[in-house]
Amino acid sequence: MTEEAEAKFDKCRNGGTSAVDNPSPRSLPPSGDRGSPTACPQLRRASTPAALPSTHDNISSQRVFKKCAPNNKITLYLSSRDLVISESRVDKLYGVLLVDPTYVQDRKVYGQVTLTFRYGREDEEVMGLRFCNEAVMSLSRLYPGPTSPDKLAQEITPLQEALVKRLGPNAYPFCLEVTPIAPPSVQLVPAKEYNGAPIGTSYDVRAFVADRPEEKPHRRCTVRMGIRVLQRCPVGVGHRGSGSPPRAAIEKPFMLSDGRVRLEAVLDRAHYRQGEPVHVKLSIFNQSRKTVRRIKIFIVQHVDVCMFSNGKFKNVVAAVNSRQDCPLNPGSSVRHSYTLFPTKGSTKNWIALEDSYTKSGASLASTVTRCQAAGGAAANAPTNDSERNVFAIFVTYYCKVKLIVGAMNSEVSVKLPFTLLPTEEKDMGEVMPPEPPPLPPPTIEAPSSDEAPRRAPPERPAKIGATAVGVDTIEPGGETNC
């Protein structure tokens, strides 16, 4: 055996590797991490004989929403940015507050949920005039936390417990309750273009450092994150097959003419999700001496701004103008189905949209009714204008079928109300902070002579909020005919 072969044999026997047996550089861990227990965490977890419980995996896969103050001294984590108000329950706002105690010192951190109702342009606010009203819906002290351990144990959730464990001893869980009379979030978008603060009803949660709750906080030590308050249909009302479909029928006689025109209309369902088509079935019986010249079908959005006595307007969000099977002569009958897609379009009035966190992609507002209180308060709904919530914006939808009859353009029409439900959207927050792995020994590398050490710029907190498109102050002009 040659000397080269003997050296290769001894090296392999002692646990070493030769240049011939070396694997490719791609299969090796990065330089400085070879042999470290944290160099390949995926392989280390896979080699664990016992897997983690499924509940732990579910919590680790959940997403949270994070927002930092401009000075990065307090950080707000929320499990959800949507609060649901229905007749049976009111969602609570659960979150975790991360505090820098060296900055706060003897002061306190308060949290509040603020309702903002804007009814005019932001750029027209001059000489102290504001087209905006604010109301505090909930206020609580977040830091220091509650002293009673029983109260803290009742409020904390598994997600909050996992966040506190991962963020460290300076993380404090909290829970904010919103009153059940809070109106749902609705944006009002005028026909003319406008860039500014969103018009309508919006909410945000704020955490600020102050000595007293009534003290005006400074901007650099305040966290603001937008949230939405949504209204759901009552318990027991599902999406499909629940409730009888809306149906209407009418017979109309005419002056100086014998006979009548009978119109029957029915929808396929009583509840629709955003983006779903609306199917209308018509049955027309012409038992008069006139001729049915045209069939018109509209889907109308009716908006009621409670702050103004006559702040009501309508928008046509879908329309069909059909001459099929027309003219319908006397003594004839026809049955036909039509399909309409309610969508946001250009209108001459203010249109109500869902409160969105982004500028684009806003859809039509869901149905907002006056029966929005919890615990059976729907039976005590306000009956007159003086008892209504001034910050509420009520939105309803109906389908209107109109027949144009005779040379004088006489009308035969019916209305079919229905409920528009919001789409089920997934949370688009951040993944929960990972568990801190054991730190490897630090390695110090001297910079080269021709390159000075560079520091990465500090990360600035992203602005979370929605900017709507609206213009002008709401000028009640009464209802429009559709």
Side-chain angles (χ1 to χ4, degrees), residues 103-123:
Y103 172 77
V104 178
Q105 296 181 358
D106 296 336
R107 294 178 295 178
K108 301 176 180 60
V109 180
Y110 296 94
Q112 69 181 26
V113 177
T114 306
L115 180 151
T116 303
F117 182 81
R118 174 169 291 277
Y119 53 92
R121 293 173 55 117
E122 185 181 16
D123 53 4

Side-chain angles (χ1 to χ4, degrees), residues 97-369:
L97 181 70
L98 183 62
V99 181
D100 186 358
T102 59
Y103 172 77
V104 178
Q105 296 181 358
D106 296 336
R107 294 178 295 178
K108 301 176 180 60
V109 180
Y110 296 94
Q112 69 181 26
V113 177
T114 306
L115 180 151
T116 303
F117 182 81
R118 174 169 291 277
Y119 53 92
R121 293 173 55 117
E122 185 181 16
D123 53 4
E124 292 184 353
E125 297 178 348
V126 293
M127 300 185 65
L129 179 63
R130 293 192 63 192
F131 302 123
C132 177
N133 292 329
E134 292 186 355
V136 178
M137 311 303 292
S138 176
L139 178 63
S140 178
R141 189 187 69 184
L142 307 184
Y143 172 84
T147 56
S148 175
D150 297 336
K151 183 178 180 181
L152 181 60
Q154 293 176 0
E155 297 293 343
I156 195 169
T157 62
L159 181 60
Q160 288 177 302
E161 186 177 359
L163 275 173
V164 171
K165 181 179 179 181
R166 298 186 183 187
L167 294 176
N170 296 327
Y172 299 88
F174 65 88
C175 175
L176 297 176
E177 297 184 14
V178 180
T179 173
I181 63 174
S185 302
V186 178
Q187 285 188 10
L188 293 178
V189 180
K192 298 170 61 178
E193 186 177 358
Y194 156 73
N195 293 322
I199 301 176
T201 305
S202 59
Y203 293 84
D204 63 78
V205 55
R206 305 177 186 180
F208 56 93
V209 181
D211 295 329
R212 300 179 304 274
E214 62 272 7
E215 180 181 345
K216 184 177 180 180
H218 199 279
R219 182 178 177 273
R220 66 169 177 264
C221 59
T222 303
V223 184
R224 297 181 59 176
M225 185 185 300
I227 61 174
R228 297 189 303 181
V229 175
L230 307 176
Q231 179 183 350
R232 292 292 187 265
C233 57
V235 176
V237 179
H239 173 32
R240 299 180 183 274
S242 60
S244 58
R247 182 186 299 270
I250 185 175
E251 287 186 359
K252 183 176 180 180
F254 300 95
M255 296 180 60
L256 306 177
S257 179
D258 297 335
R260 301 183 178 187
V261 174
R262 179 176 177 82
L263 171 63
E264 297 179 1
V266 60
L267 300 180
D268 57 336
R269 292 199 307 272
H271 304 84
Y272 297 91
R273 289 283 183 189
Q274 296 278 1
E276 291 185 345
V278 178
H279 301 281
V280 188
K281 296 181 180 180
L282 301 183
S283 298
I284 305 173
F285 304 92
N286 188 4
Q287 301 174 357
S288 66
R289 296 183 179 181
K290 295 183 177 293
T291 302
V292 178
R293 301 171 53 193
R294 188 180 305 176
I295 302 174
K296 293 184 177 182
I297 306 175
F298 306 96
I299 293 182
V300 181
Q301 177 196 72
H302 184 272
V303 183
D304 183 6
V305 183
C306 295
M307 179 170 286
F308 306 98
S309 59
N310 58 345
K312 303 177 182 179
F313 44 89
K314 302 176 182 179
N315 299 301
V316 177
V317 296
V320 171
N321 190 353
S322 176
R323 292 182 178 272
Q324 187 176 2
D325 301 325
C326 293
L328 187 62
N329 297 322
S332 304
S333 62
V334 64
R335 290 181 174 87
H336 203 276
S337 298
Y338 299 89
T339 303
L340 295 90
F341 294 86
T343 56
K344 177 188 68 173
S346 59
T347 59
K348 62 179 180 179
N349 297 322
W350 295 60
I351 187 171
L353 303 180
E354 286 282 358
D355 190 12
S356 177
Y357 304 124
T358 59
K359 294 183 180 180
S360 60
S363 57
L364 292 174
S366 306
T367 300
V368 178
T369 61

Side-chain angles (χ1 to χ4, degrees), residues 87-103:
E87 293 185 356
S88 62
R89 63 185 176 90
V90 179
D91 283 354
K92 298 181 180 180
L93 188 66
Y94 295 98
V96 173
L97 181 70
L98 183 62
V99 181
D100 186 358
T102 59
Y103 172 77

Side-chain angles (χ1 to χ4, degrees), residues 395-418:
V395 183
T396 55
Y397 292 87
Y398 62 87
C399 178
K400 184 174 183 179
V401 181
K402 183 190 298 184
L403 303 181
I404 307 300
V405 182
M408 302 297 295
N409 293 336
S410 302
E411 296 183 0
V412 180
S413 60
V414 293
K415 292 183 179 181
L416 304 171
F418 63 91

